[in-house]
Amino acid sequence: MDIFDSVLERFALISIVDVFDILLVTFIIFGVLMLIRGTRAVQLLRGLFVLAVIIFFFAQIFDLRAFKWLVDNMLPVLLFAIPVIFQPELRRALEQLGLAGRYLRIFRRDEASPVVATFKEAALRLSQRRHGALVVFEQDTGLQEYIDTGVILDAEPSPELFLTIFNKHTELHDGAIIVRGNKLAAAACVLPLSTSSLSDRQMGLRHRAALGISEVSDAVAVVVSEETGQVSIAHNGRILRRQDIARLDSILNAFLAGPRQPDILRRENRESGG
């Protein structure tokens, strides 16, 4: 009973400000975990946690003076090393904060992009011909630095233009098309390659480039496989395979319409067996 009374006394000392403080810290930790979910940062955090447990065990259980001196001098270095180690994740988190205005799209009327409808028709023919393709749809994060690496088009979209660019015998087929607004901004663009491991051996450089651009921006990248003719979509550092070309326009329009896009894509992926 004494212990129970002591616990009640401690709970009585907790104010509304303390509750708000705890909830705020919980929300921040949860937000960080959601941002790094599915990235290499999860493995890094596990490694740091195991290392911290080992250091605490040796420092507290055994009287290792030299080891304690080493740990005390390494802590300041680790504080500077953490931002370097988690640079991609920190950059992505700051970009997410900077793109908070995109959630206002909920109040806008959804409009189908004419480029999406045109690309759907081209993707069907590209898949049948086994011609590889990589198309990136720019959103709020500007892709000008990648547009500058390619050939400027500023062209109106058409299925014939997509098919001509990604024809194996043209000079522009080996890069990515970047779509800005309702126009094809550039072709043969060089994209950053993802360093994440791809489990499927059928996914090549196009898939790695699509995943890479999705890791550093909010762009949506679509890949048509040259080997299988299957369509994959990369967004937010994840790639989903075997998308149904017949429903490609609805999937892409859902992505480009606003913040509801991830749930819609996951449902499409489950229905298509991806």
Side-chain angles (χ1 to χ4, degrees):
M1 292 297 296
D2 293 338
I3 298 177
F4 183 73
D5 292 338
S6 177
V7 171
L8 289 179
E9 291 178 0
R10 291 183 180 275
F11 273 109
L13 297 175
I14 300 177
S15 64
I16 298 178
V17 176
D18 296 327
V19 174
F20 176 77
D21 188 23
I22 295 172
L23 291 177
L24 180 61
V25 173
T26 304
F27 176 77
I28 293 174
I29 295 175
F30 177 77
V32 171
L33 292 176
M34 290 297 294
L35 285 172
I36 67 174
R37 184 182 59 178
T39 66
R40 293 175 300 159
V42 176
Q43 286 76 21
L44 291 174
L45 281 178
R46 289 175 182 171
L48 289 175
F49 177 77
V50 172
L51 181 62
V53 170
I54 294 175
I55 290 175
F56 177 82
F57 176 80
F58 279 101
Q60 297 297 324
I61 303 301
F62 303 102
D63 187 20
L64 305 177
R65 297 182 181 180
F67 184 74
K68 289 182 179 180
W69 173 87
L70 180 62
V71 171
D72 292 340
N73 285 274
M74 284 181 60
L75 285 177
V77 178
L78 290 176
L79 292 177
F80 285 100
I82 287 176
V84 177
I85 296 173
F86 294 103
Q87 185 270 338
E89 286 73 22
L90 291 174
R91 176 179 175 178
R92 181 177 169 189
L94 293 175
E95 287 179 349
Q96 294 288 338
L97 293 175
L99 298 175
R102 67 182 174 181
Y103 293 96
L104 297 176
R105 295 179 183 177
I106 296 177
F107 304 104
R108 300 180 188 175
R109 181 181 177 182
D110 294 345
E111 296 182 358
S113 171
V115 185
V116 170
T118 303
F119 177 64
K120 172 190 172 181
E121 182 180 346
L124 179 60
R125 294 156 68 178
L126 288 166
S127 176
Q128 293 171 345
R129 300 176 185 181
R130 294 292 193 272
H131 287 181
L134 174 55
V135 178
V136 179
F137 292 86
E138 182 187 58
Q139 296 205 82
D140 292 319
T141 302
L143 302 177
Q144 187 61 46
E145 59 180 303
Y146 305 108
I147 291 176
D148 293 338
T149 64
V151 177
I152 304 300
L153 298 178
D154 194 27
E156 296 292 335
S158 68
E160 293 74 20
L161 183 55
F162 279 112
L163 292 170
T164 300
I165 291 174
F166 290 119
N167 187 290
K168 298 179 181 180
H169 304 291
T170 63
E171 297 291 336
L172 302 180
H173 82 281
D174 210 19
I177 288 179
I178 295 181
V179 177
R180 170 175 286 174
N182 292 328
K183 288 190 175 184
L184 308 187
C189 299
V190 179
L191 304 181
L193 298 180
S194 173
T195 57
S196 301
S197 59
L198 299 178
S199 57
D200 195 335
R201 293 183 179 180
Q202 291 181 340
M203 292 192 289
L205 286 177
R206 285 193 179 93
H207 295 84
R208 195 173 291 279
L211 190 59
I213 195 65
S214 74
E215 290 173 343
V216 299
S217 71
D218 63 341
V220 180
V222 184
V223 180
V224 179
S225 174
E226 187 173 345
E227 294 184 4
T228 64
Q230 295 177 347
V231 174
S232 303
I233 298 179
H235 177 68
N236 200 26
R238 295 173 178 84
I239 188 164
L240 298 177
R241 303 287 312 283
R242 297 182 291 276
Q243 296 301 304
D244 187 359
I245 301 180
R247 302 161 70 180
L248 183 61
D249 53 345
S250 62
I251 298 174
L252 288 177
N253 281 322
F255 260 107
L256 302 174
R260 293 164 291 172
Q261 55 207 25
D263 294 332
I264 293 177
L265 185 60
R266 292 192 192 102
R267 184 169 63 252
E268 295 282 352
N269 184 61
R270 288 195 298 268
E271 293 174 355
S272 62

